[in-house]
Amino acid sequence: MANSIGNIFRFTIWGQSHAPAIGVTMEGLPAGIKIDQEKLQSFLDRRRPGQNKYSTPRKESDTAEFIAGLNPDGLTCGSPVTAVIKNSNTKSSDYSELEYIPRPGHSDYPAMIRYGAGRDFAGGGQFSGRLTAPLCIAGGVCLQILEAMNIRISARAVMIGGKTEETAMLEAIENARAEGDSVGGIVECVIEGLPAGIGEPMFDGMESRIAQTVFGIPAVKGVEFGNGFGCAALRGSENNDAFSYNGGSVITKTNNHGGILGGITSSMPIVFRAAFKPTPSIAKEQDSININTAENVKLSVKGRHDPCIVLRAVPCVEAAAAAAVYDEILMAKASGFEAF
Amino acid sequence: MANSIGNIFRFTIWGQSHAPAIGVTMEGLPAGIKIDQEKLQSFLDRRRPGQNKYSTPRKESDTAEFIAGLNPDGLTCGSPVTAVIKNSNTKSSDYSELEYIPRPGHSDYPAMIRYGAGRDFAGGGQFSGRLTAPLCIAGGVCLQILEAMNIRISARAVMIGGKTEETAMLEAIENARAEGDSVGGIVECVIEGLPAGIGEPMFDGMESRIAQTVFGIPAVKGVEFGNGFGCAALRGSENNDAFSYNGGSVITKTNNHGGILGGITSSMPIVFRAAFKPTPSIAKEQDSININTAENVKLSVKGRHDPCIVLRAVPCVEAAAAAAVYDEILMAKASGFEAF
Amino acid sequence: MANSIGNIFRFTIWGQSHAPAIGVTMEGLPAGIKIDQEKLQSFLDRRRPGQNKYSTPRKESDTAEFIAGLNPDGLTCGSPVTAVIKNSNTKSSDYSELEYIPRPGHSDYPAMIRYGAGRDFAGGGQFSGRLTAPLCIAGGVCLQILEAMNIRISARAVMIGGKTEETAMLEAIENARAEGDSVGGIVECVIEGLPAGIGEPMFDGMESRIAQTVFGIPAVKGVEFGNGFGCAALRGSENNDAFSYNGGSVITKTNNHGGILGGITSSMPIVFRAAFKPTPSIAKEQDSININTAENVKLSVKGRHDPCIVLRAVPCVEAAAAAAVYDEILMAKASGFEAF
Amino acid sequence: MANSIGNIFRFTIWGQSHAPAIGVTMEGLPAGIKIDQEKLQSFLDRRRPGQNKYSTPRKESDTAEFIAGLNPDGLTCGSPVTAVIKNSNTKSSDYSELEYIPRPGHSDYPAMIRYGAGRDFAGGGQFSGRLTAPLCIAGGVCLQILEAMNIRISARAVMIGGKTEETAMLEAIENARAEGDSVGGIVECVIEGLPAGIGEPMFDGMESRIAQTVFGIPAVKGVEFGNGFGCAALRGSENNDAFSYNGGSVITKTNNHGGILGGITSSMPIVFRAAFKPTPSIAKEQDSININTAENVKLSVKGRHDPCIVLRAVPCVEAAAAAAVYDEILMAKASGFEAF
């Protein structure tokens, strides 16, 4: 069930870039929760395109409209909650060339093979980065619920185009844009306020579920927790985090484990990083094929594309983390563990 | 449901290190498949402890016994297949000290909090690396099925203790062992023979599902595909893989995407890496706490522990990948896509 | 996850009677399927209210609008398919009295307890019979797919108000309506064209899954297959259906088993019946309580209500059966069974 | 996933009649629960064969052995709980005739078609009534947990061979046995002590989930709640149950709704009935086919078979109900509803 995730808080993302709408249906939200729609919209606006020169000029208001699941007072009613975003600013003509010529680095080719005549290729169809907007609705709702539990999730870009300092990162984007190229980067996310004991021991472990959700964001090619790949050069005596009493509470003196041990939270902040590949759609000429004529061709991608999606991906990473964490909390509760 | 994974080929791992048995129950295997139990046992032997000086001296025959799901001819009968491994060589006394003193870097502390009086701490309980044996049974069965479809999965250690050359890696392990310490490392896995079109577009994408499964292996702290974290320093023009006709078939000239685009296979080999932290159980003295007396204490872990689990983890990574890939193939088939 | 059902073809129904919309999101439909929207609308019209004197005068056009999952050619694109029906003709004022006074026989009281302040009671909220419209969309799509496989599903009312003959059934409804009362009935459904071998041996058996789906229709209080409750008075020699060759194909001489043995189809027609209780909302004065004042009160339900929902339920039963059967076919296929 | 059921308390039944073992794996049990194994065994003994002249003479000790999921103190440890029953008294030779000749009324024919060469036909394989023993383990564990919450589940035979009085029911069985025949019957189950508000509004409604589970018991052909099929002859004014205050608590004056409204409990006892067909395996000569020779043949079933499984099915119905109800309670809790 590719577009759904979650055991108790379970949401399904649907829609395509140029369909009438995109949206999300959420199951498992408790009844009686007030969703602050204005605050949610502010969150959505962080990933919205067309806001600055670092992102695609496609302008979408991306307004989330709740069409089901709320009662007249705006409280969740215990039924699935469905929110839609209408697609307005679609320019399918930009894509006509791409029906048979797959963009290198993009999902075009696998989609051609997989969906055949059913494929909806305009605007990237179901593979469009636009589908992260409904992810941000689901995750944004979770962020509000988590915030009320004093759990805070915050992400930021820590590398773009090989640069780790803000000015250099923006410069890297601008340079790429100027040259019809793109750059990748790394987003780091920190989750604070989770008590110890949340998460499951194996495939629904905190790492498994965060990773599964974050890899659902287009362009993510790596996820690591705590020391991550750095562990491979360390010894246990360096990487282990010593436990200690800090007043009445248990802490670890360092946080190489990134807040998760055996799939379960330790009460230390969860720290993880996601690697994003450079946007595959670039103006620079590339080698590709035409699967209709079965010839090798040259391709220069037209249309409105981000030279770097890392900045817009920051709220998406927060959203993915929030959805995963909230479901873990509900699973822990369902299994009889009361931490709150 | 922490110990289960899969949409169509769905397996559940159960057991604890010192329970009567560990095992696995597999649903979704087609009827009429011959499982080569001898070959499976050879595969299991690759992760078995006590084989050489680089791993724990605990000796277990780790024989998989199929108690359900096969007919008298040894063919799958269409019912769930259950295999068990009896636990024989348990020395619980080694663990008595650990009831209240969590080992740094280990799941002990979260497990104490989460499971309370129910916790089974002997031998690490359900968090023991022994639970990767039933994973290898499930994955080993999948490997046989995939092999018959000409899909080959092969993993190897590419870094241990910061070293990338075989002699240096073994030396790093040996040095760590001699000093009562441990080392981490990286396993790289290659999956060849998958046609284009396998995988789902979002949370059941090939990356999502491989990552979720691989993070279920204890000690994994990072997973990356293709260029992975390396993407963050690249431009689109460097990272994109050009399509080209190679005779009648479509290839990419490079494989920076690691065989997956938009969650779906491109027909190029899938390449991914998993980072393993150093074994947390080390003889070296460490700082910890006693949650019974609420005091800070010193701890030196006794018992039989691997100075490095990376080598034994190699078949586990293959098993996790095989289970994820096989389920993806079945999902593609269920959705009407016929690639085989 | 209450509002979702299915293992491979999985759909989620959402919305409330007086929310902006009701709708359904379907996952697992193969790409490239043409949905005949006109034909689907004709199917939906069979359950639409306000068509004759036997049903509620509430008039809704109940037009299904596909907002996601179809490509510009109207083919399924492999992404979830979402269809909505806008709610237009809502008269919430009819319901203001019912906020604290539960209607006997209705879901009001459990809903008050379960959802508290979140409850959306106008028009029955998520418990409204209106929610069978999205069920009919999901089932209607399945009916089209099944029809193309030569599988035909057809239901009809076989008893209403204790009567089994058409004129008498309609008279029973008319009499009940005239007296401000309502009547229940039985719908029988026949599924023809399924080959032997479809269904699973236990909790996803054909009976289990049809029953689970049909009990999701409000007011259903019983489901039986073949001889059903009649079995309790029979001997094996009477109830067993003898196998026989009929030309080259295997039949049973009788069909007391209703086409299902061990949860799996026998190739004989599936025959099942669903019992519907009388519409609980009646004009006749009834005893109830006011949970706000904690007093016993008298209640006479105002508003637009069906004196009998059995006739409108007929397409709903077909829809439920179609969704269950189609998912069983996909499960059989996923498990390697090729019957088509 | 045919052999698994449950959203939070999820169990998988595995094994075949003549495999080394049958068993069950349960996920979602809270940690720290003491399972009274002696009491569980007494419960299992109620369905055990070979106890009196009314059931098959096959003797099995049917001892449940817990091999995973309990800690050394016998408490659930938070990991899946696996229990096995070894198969000992197997006489496969009784079945050799049945490889190609399907028994009328039995799953043989669909199983031949579905599983082909993989089919395990000895003793009925996975379709054997023996598989209800692991169901009774899972349900028996739930019964203990529910009992501690003051929820009591109790079933009894209310009709056998058309008779409703105990002596007459036993006589009907004895007569059938004497004539090489069998009889069906009805089991009624009552669930007391559930507060209002448990259950979900649609496909996971109390009726949907109890029905799905109960239809998983071989031979069940009908399930009805409260007035059930009797509703079809009633008017709303007769069938509706008036609400009333009884001291401080809300009751209904009658219980025609069987304790469930809109899929959710009303606090009145849940009452449901399950119809069982007569045991298909009878000694009397019947018409069948030989699928090997493609000829019509005569068949008289040898071996040890119950002339009536209704009495042994009573604890199975309690077990199925308990598993469904416990999962509903966990779902309600997971959705934020606190009734206990």
Side-chain angles (χ1 to χ4, degrees):
Chain A
M1 304 292 95
N3 290 55
S4 298
I5 193 165
N7 286 326
I8 295 176
F9 173 69
R10 183 170 177 86
F11 62 99
T12 305
I13 289 174
W14 40 266
Q16 307 106 260
S17 185
H18 291 204
I22 56 175
V24 64
T25 297
M26 298 169 253
E27 287 193 272
L29 288 174
I33 290 184
K34 179 79 186 178
I35 297 176
D36 183 334
Q37 295 188 37
E38 207 169 308
K39 189 174 177 180
L40 179 67
Q41 195 58 51
S42 302
F43 179 67
L44 290 180
D45 288 348
R46 288 174 54 202
R47 73 153 288 290
R48 195 152 53 87
Q51 296 187 111
N52 57 43
K53 64 178 175 183
Y54 303 113
S55 67
T56 166
R58 172 173 173 177
K59 284 191 176 41
E60 292 276 4
S61 65
D62 277 2
T63 308
E65 190 188 343
F66 285 79
I67 60 171
L70 304 184
N71 73 10
D73 300 325
L75 302 177
T76 54
C77 73
S79 188
V81 175
T82 292
V84 299
I85 294 173
K86 295 206 179 79
N87 287 326
S88 48
N89 190 354
T90 55
K91 291 179 65 180
S92 292
S93 57
D94 284 349
Y95 288 87
S96 55
E97 188 193 20
L98 300 175
E99 184 163 2
Y100 303 114
I101 304 176
R103 287 166 289 176
H106 207 283
S107 61
D108 293 343
Y109 178 68
M112 286 171 182
I113 299 298
R114 177 64 176 269
Y115 301 111
R119 183 185 171 221
D120 184 7
F121 68 92
Q126 60 181 300
F127 296 91
S128 166
R130 260 187 85 58
L131 273 293
T132 56
L135 171 63
C136 284
I137 297 175
V141 167
C142 294
L143 282 168
Q144 292 188 13
I145 297 173
L146 293 173
E147 198 175 85
M149 304 165 91
N150 284 315
I151 298 164
R152 295 162 303 286
I153 298 184
S154 171
R156 66 194 172 97
V158 293
M159 179 181 283
I160 288 178
K163 309 297 181 186
T164 57
E165 192 259 321
E166 193 182 349
T167 316
M169 292 196 286
L170 296 179
E171 202 174 67
I173 299 173
E174 184 51 29
N175 290 345
R177 193 192 59 73
E179 298 174 34
D181 211 334
S182 64
V183 280
I186 296 175
V187 172
E188 183 172 275
C189 186
V190 178
I191 306 169
E192 292 173 295
L194 273 171
I198 308 297
E200 305 289 322
M202 205 167 276
F203 304 115
D204 282 331
M206 200 52 102
E207 289 132 331
S208 281
R209 287 296 306 283
I210 289 177
Q212 184 192 6
T213 315
V214 171
F215 273 116
I217 303 171
V220 173
K221 298 301 279 188
V223 173
E224 64 176 7
F225 294 82
N227 274 351
F229 279 88
C231 287
L234 297 177
R235 284 194 164 187
S237 56
E238 297 167 307
N239 190 60
N240 283 350
D241 300 301
F243 287 103
S244 175
Y245 277 103
N246 179 31
S249 60
V250 173
I251 59 161
T252 59
K253 297 179 186 173
T254 47
N255 189 17
N256 298 321
H257 68 294
I260 308 168
L261 292 168
I264 306 182
T265 53
S266 69
S267 84
M268 296 298 289
I270 292 180
V271 181
F272 74 89
R273 279 169 300 282
F276 287 80
K277 69 179 179 189
T279 324
S281 294
I282 57 176
K284 271 198 171 172
E285 190 181 84
Q286 301 177 86
D287 289 338
S288 188
I289 56 175
N290 183 318
I291 65 158
N292 200 27
T293 61
E295 290 172 321
N296 292 328
V297 299
K298 297 287 180 188
L299 172 70
S300 172
V301 183
K302 294 181 190 64
R304 304 160 299 184
H305 299 287
D306 284 311
C308 178
I309 49 86
V310 177
L311 295 179
R312 288 180 56 205
V314 168
C316 304
V317 170
E318 293 175 355
V325 163
Y326 183 49
D327 193 38
E328 291 281 10
I329 289 172
L330 295 180
M331 278 191 273
K333 194 178 174 188
S335 79
F337 180 67
E338 299 290 354
F340 294 94
Chain B
M1 305 301 97
N3 290 54
S4 299
I5 194 166
N7 285 328
I8 295 176
F9 173 70
R10 184 171 176 87
F11 63 97
T12 304
I13 288 174
W14 40 266
Q16 307 107 259
S17 185
H18 291 203
I22 56 177
V24 65
T25 297
M26 296 168 255
E27 287 192 272
L29 289 174
I33 289 184
K34 178 81 187 177
I35 298 176
D36 183 334
Q37 296 189 37
E38 207 169 307
K39 190 174 177 182
L40 179 67
Q41 194 58 50
S42 302
F43 178 68
L44 291 179
D45 289 348
R46 287 175 54 201
R47 73 152 288 289
R48 195 152 53 87
Q51 296 186 110
N52 57 42
K53 65 181 175 181
Y54 303 111
S55 69
T56 167
R58 173 173 172 176
K59 283 189 177 38
E60 293 275 4
S61 66
D62 277 0
T63 308
E65 190 187 343
F66 286 80
I67 62 172
L70 303 185
N71 73 9
D73 299 326
L75 302 177
T76 54
C77 73
S79 187
V81 175
T82 293
V84 300
I85 294 174
K86 295 207 178 79
N87 286 326
S88 48
N89 191 352
T90 56
K91 290 180 65 179
S92 291
S93 58
D94 285 348
Y95 288 86
S96 55
E97 188 192 21
L98 300 175
E99 183 163 3
Y100 301 114
I101 304 177
R103 287 166 289 175
H106 207 283
S107 62
D108 292 345
Y109 177 69
M112 286 171 181
I113 299 297
R114 176 65 177 269
Y115 301 111
R119 182 185 172 220
D120 184 6
F121 67 93
Q126 61 181 298
F127 296 91
S128 166
R130 259 187 87 57
L131 272 294
T132 56
L135 171 63
C136 283
I137 296 175
V141 166
C142 293
L143 282 168
Q144 292 188 13
I145 297 173
L146 293 173
E147 199 176 81
M149 302 165 91
N150 285 314
I151 298 163
R152 296 160 303 285
I153 299 184
S154 170
R156 68 196 171 95
V158 293
M159 180 181 282
I160 288 177
K163 308 298 181 187
T164 57
E165 191 261 322
E166 192 182 348
T167 317
M169 292 196 286
L170 296 178
E171 200 175 68
I173 299 173
E174 183 52 28
N175 290 345
R177 194 194 59 74
E179 298 172 36
D181 211 335
S182 64
V183 280
I186 296 173
V187 172
E188 183 173 274
C189 185
V190 178
I191 307 169
E192 291 172 296
L194 273 170
I198 308 297
E200 305 288 323
M202 205 168 274
F203 304 116
D204 282 331
M206 200 53 101
E207 288 132 331
S208 281
R209 287 297 306 284
I210 289 177
Q212 183 191 8
T213 315
V214 170
F215 273 117
I217 302 172
V220 172
K221 297 302 279 187
V223 173
E224 63 177 8
F225 295 81
N227 273 353
F229 279 88
C231 288
L234 296 177
R235 285 195 164 187
S237 57
E238 297 167 306
N239 191 61
N240 283 351
D241 300 300
F243 288 102
S244 175
Y245 277 103
N246 180 30
S249 59
V250 173
I251 60 161
T252 59
K253 297 180 186 172
T254 47
N255 189 16
N256 298 322
H257 68 293
I260 307 169
L261 292 168
I264 307 182
T265 53
S266 68
S267 84
M268 294 299 288
I270 292 180
V271 180
F272 74 90
R273 282 169 297 284
F276 286 81
K277 69 180 179 187
T279 325
S281 295
I282 57 176
K284 271 198 173 174
E285 190 182 83
Q286 301 177 88
D287 288 338
S288 188
I289 56 175
N290 182 319
I291 64 158
N292 198 29
T293 61
E295 289 173 324
N296 292 328
V297 299
K298 297 289 182 188
L299 170 71
S300 172
V301 183
K302 293 180 190 65
R304 305 161 298 184
H305 300 286
D306 283 310
C308 177
I309 50 85
V310 177
L311 295 179
R312 289 180 56 204
V314 168
C316 303
V317 170
E318 293 175 354
V325 164
Y326 183 49
D327 193 36
E328 291 280 9
I329 290 173
L330 294 180
M331 278 191 274
K333 194 179 174 186
S335 79
F337 179 66
E338 300 290 354
F340 295 94
Chain C
M1 307 300 98
N3 290 53
S4 299
I5 193 165
N7 286 327
I8 295 176
F9 173 71
R10 184 171 177 86
F11 63 97
T12 304
I13 289 174
W14 40 265
Q16 308 106 259
S17 185
H18 291 203
I22 56 177
V24 64
T25 297
M26 298 168 254
E27 287 192 272
L29 289 174
I33 290 184
K34 178 80 185 176
I35 298 176
D36 183 334
Q37 297 189 35
E38 207 170 307
K39 189 174 177 181
L40 180 67
Q41 195 58 50
S42 302
F43 179 67
L44 291 179
D45 289 347
R46 287 175 53 201
R47 73 152 288 290
R48 195 154 51 87
Q51 297 186 111
N52 56 43
K53 65 180 175 181
Y54 303 112
S55 68
T56 167
R58 173 172 174 177
K59 285 193 175 37
E60 293 275 4
S61 66
D62 278 1
T63 308
E65 192 187 342
F66 286 80
I67 61 172
L70 303 185
N71 73 9
D73 299 326
L75 302 178
T76 54
C77 73
S79 188
V81 175
T82 292
V84 300
I85 294 173
K86 295 206 180 79
N87 287 326
S88 48
N89 190 352
T90 56
K91 291 179 65 178
S92 292
S93 58
D94 284 347
Y95 289 86
S96 55
E97 188 193 20
L98 301 175
E99 182 162 3
Y100 302 114
I101 304 177
R103 286 166 290 175
H106 206 283
S107 62
D108 293 344
Y109 178 69
M112 286 171 182
I113 299 298
R114 176 64 178 270
Y115 301 111
R119 183 184 170 220
D120 184 6
F121 68 91
Q126 60 181 299
F127 296 91
S128 165
R130 259 186 87 58
L131 272 294
T132 55
L135 171 63
C136 284
I137 296 176
V141 167
C142 294
L143 281 169
Q144 292 188 13
I145 298 173
L146 293 174
E147 199 175 82
M149 303 164 91
N150 285 315
I151 298 164
R152 296 162 303 284
I153 299 185
S154 171
R156 66 193 173 99
V158 293
M159 180 181 282
I160 288 177
K163 309 297 180 187
T164 58
E165 192 261 322
E166 194 181 348
T167 317
M169 292 195 286
L170 296 178
E171 201 175 67
I173 298 173
E174 184 51 30
N175 290 344
R177 195 193 58 73
E179 299 173 34
D181 211 335
S182 63
V183 280
I186 296 174
V187 172
E188 183 172 273
C189 186
V190 177
I191 307 169
E192 292 172 294
L194 274 170
I198 308 297
E200 304 289 322
M202 206 168 274
F203 304 116
D204 282 331
M206 201 51 101
E207 287 133 331
S208 281
R209 288 296 305 285
I210 289 177
Q212 184 192 8
T213 315
V214 171
F215 274 116
I217 302 172
V220 173
K221 298 301 279 187
V223 173
E224 63 177 8
F225 295 82
N227 274 351
F229 279 88
C231 288
L234 296 178
R235 285 196 163 184
S237 56
E238 297 167 306
N239 191 60
N240 284 351
D241 299 301
F243 288 103
S244 175
Y245 277 103
N246 180 30
S249 59
V250 172
I251 60 160
T252 58
K253 297 179 188 173
T254 48
N255 189 16
N256 298 321
H257 68 294
I260 308 169
L261 292 168
I264 307 181
T265 53
S266 69
S267 84
M268 295 299 288
I270 292 181
V271 180
F272 74 89
R273 280 169 299 282
F276 286 81
K277 68 180 180 188
T279 325
S281 295
I282 56 175
K284 271 198 171 173
E285 190 182 85
Q286 301 177 86
D287 289 337
S288 187
I289 55 175
N290 182 318
I291 65 158
N292 199 29
T293 61
E295 288 172 323
N296 291 329
V297 298
K298 297 287 181 188
L299 171 70
S300 172
V301 183
K302 294 180 191 64
R304 305 161 298 185
H305 299 287
D306 284 310
C308 178
I309 50 86
V310 177
L311 295 178
R312 290 179 56 205
V314 168
C316 304
V317 170
E318 293 175 355
V325 164
Y326 183 49
D327 193 38
E328 291 281 8
I329 290 173
L330 295 179
M331 279 192 272
K333 194 179 174 184
S335 78
F337 180 68
E338 300 290 354
F340 295 94
Chain D
M1 306 290 97
N3 291 52
S4 298
I5 194 165
N7 286 326
I8 296 177
F9 172 70
R10 183 171 177 87
F11 63 97
T12 305
I13 289 174
W14 38 266
Q16 308 105 260
S17 185
H18 291 204
I22 56 176
V24 64
T25 297
M26 297 169 254
E27 287 193 272
L29 288 174
I33 289 183
K34 179 79 186 178
I35 298 175
D36 183 334
Q37 296 188 36
E38 206 169 309
K39 189 174 177 179
L40 180 67
Q41 195 57 50
S42 301
F43 179 68
L44 291 180
D45 289 348
R46 287 174 54 201
R47 72 151 290 289
R48 195 153 53 86
Q51 295 186 111
N52 56 42
K53 64 179 175 181
Y54 304 112
S55 68
T56 166
R58 173 173 172 177
K59 285 191 176 36
E60 292 276 4
S61 65
D62 277 2
T63 307
E65 191 187 342
F66 285 79
I67 61 172
L70 303 184
N71 74 9
D73 299 325
L75 302 177
T76 54
C77 73
S79 188
V81 175
T82 292
V84 299
I85 294 174
K86 293 204 181 82
N87 287 327
S88 47
N89 190 354
T90 56
K91 291 179 66 179
S92 293
S93 57
D94 285 347
Y95 289 86
S96 54
E97 188 193 20
L98 301 175
E99 184 162 1
Y100 302 113
I101 304 176
R103 287 167 289 176
H106 207 283
S107 62
D108 293 344
Y109 178 69
M112 286 171 182
I113 299 298
R114 177 65 176 269
Y115 302 111
R119 182 184 171 220
D120 184 7
F121 67 92
Q126 61 181 300
F127 296 91
S128 166
R130 260 186 86 60
L131 273 293
T132 56
L135 171 63
C136 284
I137 296 175
V141 167
C142 294
L143 281 168
Q144 293 188 12
I145 297 173
L146 293 173
E147 198 176 83
M149 303 165 93
N150 284 316
I151 298 163
R152 295 161 303 286
I153 298 183
S154 172
R156 68 195 172 95
V158 293
M159 180 182 283
I160 288 178
K163 309 297 181 185
T164 58
E165 191 260 321
E166 193 183 349
T167 316
M169 293 196 286
L170 296 178
E171 201 174 67
I173 299 174
E174 184 52 28
N175 290 345
R177 194 192 59 71
E179 298 172 34
D181 211 334
S182 64
V183 280
I186 295 174
V187 172
E188 182 173 274
C189 184
V190 178
I191 307 170
E192 291 173 296
L194 273 170
I198 308 297
E200 305 289 323
M202 204 166 276
F203 304 116
D204 282 331
M206 201 51 102
E207 289 132 331
S208 280
R209 288 296 307 282
I210 289 177
Q212 185 192 7
T213 315
V214 170
F215 273 116
I217 304 172
V220 173
K221 298 301 279 188
V223 173
E224 63 177 8
F225 294 82
N227 274 353
F229 279 87
C231 288
L234 296 177
R235 285 195 163 187
S237 56
E238 297 167 306
N239 190 60
N240 282 351
D241 300 300
F243 287 103
S244 175
Y245 276 104
N246 180 31
S249 59
V250 173
I251 60 161
T252 58
K253 297 179 187 173
T254 47
N255 189 16
N256 298 321
H257 68 293
I260 307 168
L261 292 168
I264 307 182
T265 54
S266 68
S267 83
M268 295 299 288
I270 292 179
V271 181
F272 74 89
R273 281 169 298 282
F276 287 80
K277 69 180 178 188
T279 325
S281 295
I282 56 176
K284 270 198 172 174
E285 191 182 82
Q286 300 176 88
D287 288 337
S288 187
I289 56 174
N290 183 318
I291 64 158
N292 200 28
T293 61
E295 289 172 321
N296 292 328
V297 298
K298 298 288 181 187
L299 171 70
S300 171
V301 183
K302 295 181 189 64
R304 303 161 299 184
H305 299 288
D306 283 311
C308 178
I309 49 87
V310 177
L311 296 179
R312 289 179 56 205
V314 169
C316 303
V317 170
E318 293 175 355
V325 164
Y326 184 48
D327 193 38
E328 291 280 10
I329 290 173
L330 295 180
M331 278 190 273
K333 193 178 176 187
S335 79
F337 179 67
E338 299 289 355
F340 294 95

